[in-house]
Amino acid sequence: MADRIRKINSQTGDVHAVIKTSDLLPATASLWGMAVSANGTLYATDYVNDVVYKIFEDGRLSGALVGKFNTPGDVASSGLYGSDGNTARLTVPVGICVDSSDNIYIADAGNHKVKRLSPSGRCQTLAGTGIAGDACNDNGLLAQFDAPAGICVDSAGIVYVSDNNNSKIKKIWSSGKVTSLAGGTGGGFANGNGPAALFTGPNGICINKSRKLFVVDTGNFRVRQVDEAGNVVTLAGFATGYVDGVGNVARFAETYDICIDNSGVIYVLDYGNEVIRKVLDNGKVTTLMGWKSGTVGVASCIAVDNSGFLYILEKNV
């Protein structure tokens, strides 16, 4: 049994590349999040070994791009003298994304921080005090998160974070200011604006070209849509189950990861149903593939590149 990353044409199902991660990574590796840069380089978080990997399509691995194997901590890196982030320390890194300038953003859940790695290897805290809490601030270093999970970045460099334990969606402006875009204290379920909207344990998050966010609201078994003004609606889902359909007819179970391609097609890792779902902007949900049917190995995270190829981490195949 081994782990691998498959690059798949989401329209035809053709497999374009297979990277056997079990041949590259330590046996204890447990990848949580993946992101693909504009040039096709893949980045992945290992929440067990507290590192971020850089994986090339030809199967080469950079080793630990950020962090040191099995050495949790909360340390910044200057990026000088070729340190390349290795002197930095993370604790349970989960969500990851990369912007058009190859800056990498990491949801450092165990440290309750969001970190940024520059192309030069400088790894610094973008936001968060390191103490679990729920606070916004004009100075991002004074803001608080509680186990940030999903993360994405828009074309203007604004970062969006699903603050999992606070059940909120937060926004980190280019100035460093942190604000709450949507979600009320205590969690629950409600559509509405800003704090009137409620989530329960949001995880993966992605953004389209119109700056609409899509969030897997794990505890509510739904995919939610959030606009720039903080208006939240349910795109698809209603209760736990497994049903393809439109809007609240569809059913999900244990949704963890989500990504969107340049045409606006959304892909959802529905772990509880052992499938990957495809969601259109009208809320129509279909099943793309799944390990229940044998078309894909047990998937733990997904990502999509600028050409629309879907990357799937499969375990035990």
Side-chain angles (χ1 to χ4, degrees):
M1 305 295 278
D3 296 349
R4 68 187 182 190
I5 295 171
R6 283 206 291 176
K7 178 183 177 182
I8 295 175
N9 184 318
S10 59
Q11 302 302 313
T12 66
D14 294 339
V15 178
H16 283 250
V18 176
I19 301 170
K20 293 183 179 180
T21 56
S22 56
D23 293 341
L24 303 172
L25 306 179
T28 56
S30 292
L31 304 189
W32 179 282
M34 293 193 299
V36 190
S37 71
N39 66 9
T41 301
L42 188 67
Y43 301 92
T45 57
D46 181 346
Y47 70 97
V48 168
N49 289 298
D50 304 298
V51 296
V52 172
Y53 304 110
K54 181 177 182 179
I55 304 170
F56 299 95
E57 190 172 315
D58 62 7
R60 290 179 297 121
L61 177 74
S62 72
L65 180 68
V66 187
K68 183 178 180 181
F69 290 113
N70 200 28
T71 308
D74 182 14
V75 180
S77 166
S78 67
L80 300 176
Y81 310 113
S83 64
D84 210 25
N86 293 98
T87 59
R89 296 291 178 268
L90 307 170
T91 302
V92 194
V94 286
I96 187 168
C97 64
V98 57
D99 67 18
S100 58
S101 299
D102 286 335
N103 292 295
I104 300 167
Y105 301 86
I106 305 159
D108 191 3
N111 286 317
H112 311 291
K113 289 183 174 184
V114 173
K115 292 183 176 173
R116 177 173 57 197
L117 178 73
S118 73
S120 68
R122 180 180 173 87
C123 184
Q124 298 291 317
T125 297
L126 183 65
T129 63
I131 299 172
D134 182 12
C136 296
N137 199 288
D138 287 347
N139 180 348
L141 299 182
L142 299 179
Q144 289 183 309
F145 303 87
D146 193 345
I151 190 167
C152 64
V153 60
D154 69 17
S155 58
I158 297 173
V159 177
Y160 303 86
V161 181
S162 57
D163 193 358
N164 185 267
N165 285 347
N166 286 320
S167 292
K168 293 182 178 181
I169 306 304
K170 290 181 177 174
K171 186 174 181 178
I172 307 173
W173 299 76
S174 55
S175 65
K177 177 174 69 173
V178 176
T179 57
S180 181
L181 180 63
T185 302
F189 172 74
N191 290 319
N193 176 262
L198 298 176
F199 301 84
T200 300
N203 274 293
I205 187 171
C206 61
I207 191 166
N208 70 8
K209 293 178 180 178
S210 302
R211 292 190 179 178
K212 285 183 180 177
L213 293 167
F214 300 93
V215 184
V216 283
D217 189 0
T218 304
N220 287 315
F221 313 105
R222 291 168 166 91
V223 176
R224 314 288 291 280
Q225 177 183 291
V226 188
D227 69 15
E228 288 186 271
N231 296 306
V232 179
V233 297
T234 298
L235 181 63
F238 180 76
T240 186
Y242 179 35
V243 179
D244 285 337
V246 179
N248 61 11
V249 173
R251 299 287 186 272
F252 299 92
E254 288 187 82
T255 51
Y256 287 116
D257 208 359
I258 189 170
C259 57
I260 188 168
D261 67 20
N262 283 335
S263 66
V265 176
I266 300 163
Y267 303 92
V268 176
L269 175 60
D270 188 356
Y271 190 85
N273 285 318
E274 303 181 0
V275 291
I276 294 170
R277 316 289 287 278
K278 188 175 180 178
V279 186
L280 303 183
D281 58 6
N282 64 358
K284 182 180 179 180
V285 179
T286 56
T287 297
L288 180 65
M289 57 185 66
W291 49 103
K292 181 181 290 186
S293 62
T295 54
V296 66
V298 178
S300 62
C301 54
I302 57 176
V304 66
D305 67 17
N306 286 340
S307 299
F309 289 100
L310 187 65
Y311 295 73
I312 306 170
L313 174 70
E314 302 171 317
K315 300 186 72 63
N316 303 321
V317 289

